C-alpha cells in the first residue's frame, strides 16, 4: 500500500486484520479484499499464482549473481515477496511500506523476520522514498504491488512513477508489477510503462484466473534465447519450487525485436 504523491494531506490509514481458512492466512485492510496470503505450514513459500509470477525477474538473472543482489518491494502486503527474497533467495532485501500497522501485522502474524544486515523495511510513501538518491542504480530486482484497501486500481501508476522506478534499477535489473482491480485500466498502465522503459523492454503474462496481470520491464532490453530461458526456468523450479517452466507458455515480450 502507498499514498499517491499527489495527495495534498495525510489520509487515514485503514485498519489491518487477518483471516484464516483451510491452512491459509490472509491479510486484509478493513475489507474482504485479500492483500496477501501465507501458507501456515510453509510461511516462506509463495502461495498465490500472481505473486509467484512476480519472481519472473529470475528468468533474466544469472543465478551466480544472486549473492550480490539487492531486491526491493514497493508495498509490503503480507510480506510474501520480502520473506521469499530474504529467506529463500538469501539476497539483500528492502521493502517500502506506508502503513506501520501492515509492518506490525507482518511481524506478528505473517512470520516476517526482524530487520538485520540483509533485510530492511522502510516506513515511507513509496512515491517519495524512491526519489532518494541513495536507492538510485542499486536495485537489481524491483517488485511493485501497490493497492489501497479497496483494491480498485494501482495507487501509483503514472509514467513519472515508472520513470522513477527505472532510475532505481541497475543496468541488467528488472521491475515486475501487479496490475489488478475492478476499475483497472490495463492498456493505459502498459502505455505508461512503455513511456518510461520503452516498448522493447516490456514483457507481459497472460492474466491469472483471478484477474491479475503481471508485467515485467527491463532496465536494458534483451531477448534471451528460449533455451536459456528454459534452462533458467528449470533451475528456478528445482531450486525454489516456483512453477517457472509453466511461465514460459504464458509470458511474452510486448513487441518482437526489430530486425
Amino acid at each position: 500500500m502507498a499514498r499517491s504523491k499527489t495527495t495534498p494531506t495525510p489520509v487515514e490509514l485503514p485498519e489491518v486484520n487477518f483471516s484464516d481458512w483451510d491452512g491459509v492466512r490472509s491479510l486484509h485492510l478493513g475489507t474482504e479484499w485479500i492483500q496477501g496470503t501465507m501458507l501456515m505450514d510453509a510461511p516462506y513459500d509463495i502461495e498465490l499464482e500472481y505473486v509467484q509470477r512476480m519472481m519472473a525477474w529470475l528468468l533474466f538473472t544469472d543465478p551466480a549473481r544472486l549473492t550480490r543482489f539487492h531486491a526491493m518491494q514497493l508495498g509490503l502486503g503480507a510480506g510474501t515477496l520480502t520473506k521469499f527474497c530474504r529467506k529463500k533467495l538469501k539476497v539483500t532485501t528492502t521493502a517500502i511500506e506506508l502503513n506501520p500497522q501492515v509492518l506490525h501485522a507482518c511481524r506478528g502474524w505473517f512470520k516476517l523476520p526482524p530487520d538485520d544486515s540483509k533485510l530492511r523495511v522502510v516506513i515511507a510513501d513509496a512515491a517519495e522514498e524512491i526519489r532518494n538518491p541513495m536507492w538510485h542504480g542499486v536495485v537489481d530486482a524491483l517488485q511493485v504491488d501497490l493497492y489501497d484497501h479497496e483494491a480498485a486500481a494501482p495507487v501509483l501508476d503514472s509514467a513519472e512513477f515508472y520513470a522513477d522506478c527505472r532510475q532505481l534499477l541497475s543496468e541488467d535489473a528488472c521491475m515486475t508489477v501487479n496490475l489488478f482491480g475492478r476499475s483497472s485500466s490495463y492498456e493505459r498502465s502498459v502505455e505508461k510503462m512503455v513511456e518510461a522503459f520503452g516498448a522493447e523492454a516490456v514483457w507481459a503474462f497472460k492474466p491469472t484466473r483471478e484477474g491479475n496481470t503481471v508485467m515485467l520491464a527491463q532496465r536494458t532490453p534483451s531477448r534471451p534465447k528460449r533455451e536459456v530461458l528454459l534452462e533458467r526456468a528449470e533451475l528456478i523450479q528445482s531450486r525454489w519450487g516456483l512453477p517457472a517452466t509453466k511461465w514460459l507458455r504464458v509470458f511474452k515480450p510486448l513487441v518482437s525485436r526489430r530486425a
Side-chain angles (χ1 to χ4, degrees):
M1 174 184 176
R3 185 171 63 247
S4 169
K5 60 187 175 184
T6 60
T7 302
T9 56
V11 296
E12 183 177 352
L13 298 173
E15 178 185 0
V16 178
N17 51 23
F18 73 92
S19 62
D20 294 340
W21 186 79
D22 197 25
V24 176
R25 176 163 292 173
S26 299
L27 179 75
H28 307 272
L29 299 181
T31 72
E32 75 277 10
W33 293 99
I34 293 174
Q35 301 287 334
T37 65
M38 178 184 73
L39 292 169
M40 295 172 71
D41 290 338
Y44 301 117
D45 289 352
I46 301 178
E47 187 251 340
L48 292 176
E49 183 178 34
Y50 93 85
V51 184
Q52 293 172 346
R53 293 179 178 184
M54 294 285 284
M55 299 300 303
W57 56 267
L58 285 167
L59 292 170
F60 300 87
T61 302
D62 179 354
R65 293 185 57 233
L66 282 178
T67 56
R68 304 186 298 274
F69 248 55
H70 179 197
M72 177 178 283
Q73 297 81 46
L74 304 186
L76 185 59
T80 307
L81 291 170
T82 303
K83 290 186 298 182
F84 192 90
C85 288
R86 176 64 186 94
K87 299 291 285 187
K88 295 280 191 171
L89 300 184
K90 303 185 186 304
V91 302
T92 298
T93 308
T94 302
I96 299 175
E97 169 58 45
L98 175 65
N99 190 341
Q101 297 179 60
V102 170
L103 174 58
H104 180 76
C106 286
R107 292 259 156 84
W109 305 329
F110 290 90
K111 306 291 185 181
L112 180 68
D115 283 9
D116 58 24
S117 62
K118 298 192 74 172
L119 173 63
R120 180 182 179 189
V121 180
V122 179
I123 298 299
D125 185 322
E128 298 174 1
E129 183 63 25
I130 63 175
R131 292 181 171 179
N132 187 328
M134 70 177 287
W135 304 119
H136 292 174
V138 302
V139 176
D140 302 298
L142 178 65
Q143 297 158 306
V144 182
D145 194 4
L146 295 169
Y147 285 84
D148 62 14
H149 61 291
E150 295 293 339
V155 176
L156 299 174
D157 187 43
S158 67
E160 293 78 13
F161 168 69
Y162 292 124
D164 287 342
C165 288
R166 187 177 185 274
Q167 195 169 13
L168 300 176
L169 301 181
S170 61
E171 191 64 25
D172 297 320
C174 297
M175 172 186 75
T176 51
V177 180
N178 172 39
L179 297 180
F180 170 79
R182 289 165 290 158
S183 62
S184 71
S185 50
Y186 170 81
E187 294 295 339
R188 288 200 297 272
S189 294
V190 171
E191 288 174 3
K192 294 166 187 174
M193 285 183 213
V194 166
E195 183 178 340
F197 282 83
E200 290 191 348
V202 179
W203 298 59
F205 279 94
K206 291 182 179 179
T208 65
R209 290 186 302 274
E210 296 75 22
N212 298 82
T213 300
V214 172
M215 307 293 299
L216 180 143
Q218 298 174 280
R219 174 67 174 81
T220 304
S222 68
R223 289 290 185 274
K225 293 183 178 179
R226 181 169 178 79
E227 308 89 80
V228 173
L229 291 175
L230 181 58
E231 181 181 355
R232 286 187 178 160
E234 290 172 345
L235 184 147
I236 293 164
Q237 193 156 312
S238 64
R239 185 175 294 182
W240 297 298
L242 298 169
T245 57
K246 294 181 180 178
W247 294 348
L248 300 184
R249 299 199 294 267
V250 292
F251 180 60
K252 303 292 182 185
L254 197 65
V255 297
S256 299
R257 172 73 77 176
R258 296 184 180 93

